Amino acid sequence: MNLRYYLRNVIYGLMCYVIIVFILRNDVHEPVVRLIIGFSFVNTIFFPFAKRAVETVALKYSTIDDWTKGANVETPAKNGVYAIYYMVIFAVTIPVAIIYLIYFFSTRKAA
């Protein structure tokens, strides 16, 4: 993962964070809401790592052609699928990102 990939994908995590803060803005004084907003901020930071992990696993068991042909052709109707995809990744970001980071640092070769 490089800085360009991270910055390009942290924007999606930031959009999810803004949506959550916007929805919960009236109840910000509740302790549970503060906890949710805190976890959402952590998810925003780790979102690119989780997205990379999901992409790595998906491409390990399929090919890029499987994701661009047939029913998966790029159409305006696919935008809803993208929204669901990003929200699911945002929801499972913390455990997936931790697993990905452990895998990433354990497979790096010592310099």
Side-chain angles (χ1 to χ4, degrees), residues 1 5-6 9-10 13-14 38-53 89-90 92-101 105:
M1 177 180 309
Y5 180 86
Y6 181 84
N9 287 301
V10 81
L14 190 60
F39 276 124
S40 297
F41 182 73
V42 172
N43 280 354
T44 300
I45 306 275
F46 285 139
F47 184 83
F49 297 107
K51 186 171 184 282
R52 173 65 107 189
I89 290 178
F90 192 78
V92 298
T93 293
I94 292 176
V96 171
I98 290 172
I99 291 168
Y100 177 74
L101 288 173
F105 287 118

Side-chain angles (χ1 to χ4, degrees), residues 68-80:
T68 57
K69 301 213 189 276
N72 295 319
V73 131
E74 294 293 330
T75 63
K78 196 171 179 182
N79 289 338

